[in-house]
Amino acid sequence: MANPETVADTLVDIGIYNNLESILPLLQDPTSSDILQRAYQIATLQRSTNTIITATDRAAKVVFALKTYSRSNCTGEKVMGNIIEGIETILTLYYSQLKQGVEVVTNYQDGLPEVLCYPDELNQVWTNLIHNAIGAMDNCGVLTLEVRAENQSLRVGVTDSGKGIAPEILPRIFEPFFTTKPAGEGTGLGLDIVKKIVEKHSGNIEVTSVIGQTTFTVSIPIAV
């Protein structure tokens, strides 16, 4: 056939790589160049449409996450909340940062119950812990999120593969106004707020750290 290299390039662009025997008569047709060009235009339109659908879906998820995150409980009373949904909301909000070089690994136990809580305040906990984890890895590494039931509590683990927390600093990280960040970059209140919110839920927070693995574990009673 004429111009085989051009035909091959066009077929690859369309997405046809194998089983060419069935379309050989078409390729040998005198009008094959026009047919291939029309097929290429249709394939390009389809790819563009799929890109728009993906972008629209992502935008919808972000809008939903923002609405969920900004919604507050005006009654001041605990309500039943889904921990995993809250964490996934925060991951959606951090999507643009995570996609730059952070691999997210989730390990959620099946069939977890809802917990009696202040969902908007727990979202502040997940926001702070995920934000700190990304910063500890300099936006490049593995972020592991684990949720499981244990001893009538839900245990949420946030693990990063960053540089770790020095042993002499570890006992002070929950102190108000204590920070290792340069002046103007941190208030030292983030983990203090996290600890207060967790204690408000009659829970507790623990941290272990070595180089390459720092884990914050939050335990929230299932029903209090």
Side-chain angles (χ1 to χ4, degrees):
M1 63 186 68
N3 303 317
E5 292 84 2
T6 302
V7 172
D9 286 343
T10 303
L11 289 174
V12 170
D13 289 338
I14 293 173
I16 300 175
Y17 311 100
N18 301 309
N19 303 319
L20 299 179
E21 292 80 3
S22 61
I23 63 170
L24 279 178
L26 174 64
L27 298 177
Q28 294 167 340
D29 188 278
T31 62
S32 62
S33 60
D34 294 335
I35 296 173
L36 279 177
Q37 185 61 29
R38 183 59 59 86
Y40 173 78
Q41 292 172 348
I42 294 173
T44 300
L45 179 61
Q46 185 180 38
R47 283 196 297 270
S48 299
T49 301
N50 290 337
T51 299
I52 293 171
I53 292 173
T54 300
T56 303
D57 182 61
R58 171 58 56 184
K61 287 180 179 179
V62 170
V63 170
F64 176 78
L66 286 169
K67 289 173 64 178
T68 300
Y69 185 78
S70 63
R71 185 175 62 235
S72 60
N73 179 13
C74 299
T75 65
E77 299 178 354
K78 288 183 178 180
V79 297
M80 299 304 294
N82 188 306
I83 296 293
I84 293 176
E85 286 183 0
I87 292 172
E88 287 295 314
T89 293
I90 307 307
L91 289 177
T92 298
L93 296 179
Y94 273 93
Y95 173 77
S96 61
Q97 282 185 257
L98 294 169
K99 72 177 182 179
Q100 300 301 321
V102 177
E103 177 188 356
V104 178
V105 177
T106 56
N107 183 12
Y108 303 145
Q109 183 179 332
D110 293 332
L112 291 174
E114 293 187 333
V115 298
L116 193 63
C117 63
Y118 303 101
D120 51 321
E121 293 189 19
L122 285 183
N123 280 347
Q124 295 180 49
V125 172
W126 318 137
T127 298
N128 201 292
L129 295 181
I130 290 173
H131 175 80
N132 287 353
I134 296 172
M137 297 184 291
D138 294 325
N139 289 8
C140 185
V142 180
L143 173 65
T144 304
L145 301 166
E146 182 179 17
V147 185
R148 69 182 189 276
E150 184 177 302
N151 298 327
Q152 301 302 311
S153 294
L154 288 191
R155 290 176 63 85
V156 179
V158 180
T159 302
D160 67 71
S161 62
K163 50 188 175 291
I165 304 172
E168 63 272 17
I169 293 176
L170 199 59
R172 301 191 60 193
I173 60 173
F174 293 108
E175 292 181 12
F177 303 109
F178 176 79
T179 179
T180 59
K181 296 178 181 178
E185 292 188 15
T187 62
L189 291 174
L191 288 177
D192 175 58
I193 293 172
V194 164
K195 188 171 185 291
K196 284 182 169 61
I197 292 173
V198 172
E199 290 176 345
K200 183 177 179 179
H201 286 78
S202 301
N204 65 76
I205 182 169
E206 305 167 345
V207 58
T208 59
S209 183
V210 295
I211 296 175
Q213 182 174 312
T214 297
T215 301
F216 284 83
T217 303
V218 175
S219 294
I220 302 293
I222 292 175
V224 175

